[in-house]
Amino acid sequence: MAFADPDPLRGIVLKVCSVTVFVAMQTCIKLAGSGIPPGQISFHRSAFAILPILGYLAWRGELRQAMQTNNPVGHIKRGLLGVCAMGAGFYGLVHLPLPDAIAIGYAMPLLAVVFASVFLKETVRLYRWTAVVIGLVGVLIISLPKLTLFGEEGLGSDAAAGAVAVLISAMLGAGAMLQVRQLVREEKTSTIVLFFSLTAALLSALSWFFGWAELSWWSLGLLALAGIFGGLGQIFLTESYRFADVSTIAPFEYCSIILGSIAAYMLFSEVPTMTTLIGAAIVVGAGIFIIYREHQLGLERRAARKAATPQG
């Protein structure tokens, strides 16, 4: 990915645009109805996302290069993890209030830190471990009221199943993030973006054998729109990294809880509970602290490399 001249404000605007269209994507999926299998939702979301992505790559003159890969197996692994994460996340999205699904999904970057330590043997120091633990406590605060055994339905309720599904989605999504980190060592960003949509569409199409619902034109249109929003969100996100550092724009990901709450109230009459608000505040705080620590460590590493470089 070629980097443009630094323009943090432009990067932030593009990041907020990506968050906005991703929330619009989630809203469309929720509006489409609860009787659609997650695999079918994943297929439409992935297939229709290919359209804006192809247009974007053609506009940048990167389409031919994007089709070339040296690691097809790595893309299949990333696609499998990603499509399973999407399916679980979409199931949870349909059965939970929108703000709850978004807030629980914030567990993904926290779990990515844990997985990076366990599977990639990355060094994670006390500050980040503390932030991860605190953030996961926030996720539990949001989730536990839905998992309580003392309600009429308890763990068998739709809300409980939805919360578990979003947590599973966060775990699978964290695994997909690690796979992407492996891929970026040898693959172009455009290749990773395009191959994910292609492999996710093909893999999720296999769920047809387990039964798909007959869609109304309304539901089909909403799922198609969700896919287009998903593709646009990926484009805005990719472009945002051309103009600003990750540490600058990453905190704006948490705008989604505000936008999601507005959409939930206006379209579904859903109001975030106090536990959701408290838990979300804890998770957001932990996430921002981890981003801050990553930025500080990056500055320290650059300073150390500069000091170690022979002068003259």
Side-chain angles (χ1 to χ4, degrees):
M1 181 173 69
F3 289 93
D5 293 332
D7 188 348
L9 180 59
R10 189 173 182 180
I12 289 169
V13 170
L14 287 165
K15 174 65 175 180
V16 173
C17 287
S18 79
V19 171
T20 302
V21 294
F22 277 134
V23 171
M25 177 199 77
Q26 293 172 308
T27 303
C28 286
I29 290 170
K30 197 167 177 63
L31 282 169
S34 60
I36 305 173
Q40 188 174 5
I41 297 174
S42 299
F43 169 77
H44 286 86
R45 185 266 184 245
S46 302
F48 283 97
I50 294 172
L51 300 177
I53 290 172
L54 286 176
Y56 166 72
L57 294 177
W59 172 66
R60 293 196 59 85
E62 298 175 358
L63 186 56
R64 180 175 295 181
Q65 293 178 334
M67 294 298 295
Q68 300 170 353
T69 177
N70 297 315
N71 190 0
V73 175
H75 287 289
I76 292 172
K77 290 179 181 177
R78 188 265 191 272
L80 184 60
L81 285 168
V83 78
C84 290
M86 277 199 297
F90 294 155
Y91 179 89
L93 179 63
V94 170
H95 291 90
L96 282 176
L98 185 56
D100 293 41
I102 291 173
I104 296 173
Y106 288 156
M108 184 175 69
L110 302 174
L111 292 171
V113 174
V114 178
F115 290 175
S117 174
V118 174
F119 298 111
L120 301 183
K121 307 302 180 184
E122 291 187 2
T123 301
V124 179
R125 294 182 173 84
L126 180 61
Y127 286 115
R128 278 197 293 167
W129 277 125
T130 303
V132 167
V133 171
I134 292 173
L136 292 177
V137 167
V139 172
L140 285 175
I141 289 173
I142 302 167
S143 306
L144 281 178
K146 298 161 185 62
L147 304 178
T148 179
L149 293 172
F150 300 104
E152 292 183 5
E153 295 180 88
L155 290 172
S157 68
D158 286 343
V164 171
V166 177
L167 286 170
I168 292 172
S169 173
M171 293 177 65
L172 293 168
M177 287 176 66
L178 264 61
Q179 183 62 30
V180 170
R181 288 171 65 175
Q182 301 282 64
L183 284 171
V184 294
R185 296 175 181 176
E186 56 184 14
E187 298 284 271
K188 298 177 290 295
T189 301
S190 57
T191 303
I192 295 171
V193 170
L194 179 58
F195 269 74
F196 171 66
S197 290
L198 290 171
T199 55
L202 291 172
L203 290 170
S204 56
L206 297 176
S207 67
W208 177 83
F209 294 101
F210 301 98
W212 279 11
E214 185 174 347
L215 299 179
S216 66
W217 286 108
W218 169 253
S219 295
L220 179 60
L222 284 169
L223 291 182
L225 192 57
I228 292 170
F229 279 142
L232 289 174
Q234 189 63 58
I235 291 168
F236 285 133
L237 183 63
T238 301
E239 282 293 310
S240 70
Y241 291 128
R242 296 181 189 276
F243 297 99
D245 293 335
V246 174
S247 59
T248 300
I249 62 177
F252 290 89
E253 175 68 31
Y254 298 114
C255 292
S256 59
I257 192 67
I258 300 172
L259 297 173
S261 297
I262 294 171
Y265 178 75
M266 293 180 65
L267 296 174
F268 309 107
S269 299
E270 296 172 349
V271 179
T273 63
M274 185 56 66
T275 53
T276 297
L277 293 174
I278 293 172
I282 293 172
V283 177
V284 169
I288 291 176
F289 180 78
I290 289 175
I291 294 165
Y292 170 76
R293 282 295 299 168
E294 287 292 331
H295 178 62
Q296 292 297 109
L297 290 172
L299 291 176
E300 291 172 8
R301 284 192 289 266
R302 285 195 290 271
R305 284 197 297 270
K306 185 176 180 180
T309 302
Q311 302 295 318

